[in-house]
Amino acid sequence: MITALVFDFDGLLMDTESTQLESWQYEWRRHGLELDVATFFADHGGDVSELRYAALAAAVGAEYDRVSSHDRRVAYRDALNAELVVPQGIQKWLAEAEGLRLAVASSSPASWVLPLLEQTGYRSRFEVVACGDEVSAHKPDPAVYHLALGRLGVQASEAIAFEDTPHGVAAAKAAGLRCVAIPNRHTDPARFTAADLVLANAADMTLAEILGP
């Protein structure tokens, strides 16, 4: 019997994947350059900002100023993030989840996840928030899912995970959870064969339909 739902954060509860990409595109274009979107997203969770800054510095050359570049990009990103909301389909799931325990399992640090989750107005709905700075390895490693399950005090068989990336699906499955994938718009849906269910949009099914009889 399913008693808990565990949600990824970035790209699922809030489309911060898109705002991150847009902020980097903005900064590359400030230098008259175009970011290679095909290589932007890593196949693992966690922060890859240093690699991205290094790539930009190499492209710009000696005149690149990392401090001003970072400040400008982050200000642009934060302005975009301020407009984000939880997708309507997931809002409906949260409204339908009466009696179920809810958790977040994210590779991002708590300092990133918690303020944004508070911004959504749904922070109080999540009994548990497990973050990447609390575990030794990021997705596809299952550590953050083990942490979330441990804090909930439930078995993997009692929970369903919701993810938007292949490495997130891999982490959930490695932890023993059923996983529903909603591929973000930057990832090929064909890469989600490990998911138990793949939806184009959360509005495509009700939570009751996902949970089944």
Side-chain angles (χ1 to χ4, degrees):
M1 180 179 177
I2 298 300
T3 62
L5 309 178
V6 186
F7 291 84
D8 175 52
F9 183 74
D10 292 294
L12 187 80
L13 289 179
M14 296 186 84
D15 191 12
T16 52
E17 302 282 14
S18 291
T19 58
Q20 286 278 26
L21 173 59
E22 288 175 42
S23 74
W24 282 98
Q25 288 177 312
Y26 168 80
E27 189 55 26
W28 276 70
R29 288 167 183 164
R30 291 272 305 186
H31 297 281
L33 301 168
E34 198 64 35
L35 174 68
D36 182 2
V37 176
T39 61
F40 180 77
F41 291 103
D43 279 332
H44 58 82
D47 189 358
V48 293
S49 293
E50 291 307 316
L51 294 176
R52 291 171 176 165
Y53 281 118
L56 179 54
V60 173
E63 70 270 24
Y64 180 69
D65 182 342
R66 159 66 187 271
V67 173
S68 62
S69 178
H70 171 76
D71 291 346
R72 187 167 50 237
R73 185 191 69 79
V74 168
Y76 187 80
R77 180 204 67 194
D78 289 350
L80 295 175
N81 284 347
E83 303 299 319
L84 293 179
V85 297
V86 174
Q88 288 190 350
I90 294 180
Q91 289 187 36
K92 191 163 187 271
W93 287 352
L94 297 177
E96 295 171 339
E98 187 70 32
L100 293 172
R101 302 171 70 190
L102 305 182
V104 170
S106 173
S107 283
S108 295
S111 60
W112 171 261
V113 173
L114 293 176
L116 286 170
L117 189 57
E118 194 70 42
Q119 175 187 310
T120 69
Y122 284 97
R123 171 66 184 91
S124 62
R125 291 287 283 115
F126 291 92
E127 179 180 343
V128 164
V129 179
C131 295
D133 55 343
E134 301 180 283
V135 293
S136 59
H138 295 137
K139 300 173 184 176
D141 190 281
V144 76
Y145 273 104
H146 290 313
L147 179 61
L149 292 172
R151 288 178 173 171
L152 287 167
V154 303
Q155 299 298 312
S157 59
E158 300 175 273
I160 295 179
F162 297 85
E163 282 282 354
D164 73 305
T165 62
H167 57 263
V169 172
K173 296 301 293 181
L177 287 81
R178 285 172 53 194
C179 187
V180 176
I182 308 173
N184 69 52
R185 58 194 176 97
H186 310 292
T187 308
D188 182 359
R191 297 179 61 199
F192 289 80
T193 54
D196 296 281
L197 175 66
V198 180
L199 302 176
N201 190 290
D204 289 349
M205 289 184 75
T206 67
L207 185 59
E209 289 171 331
I210 291 170
L211 296 176

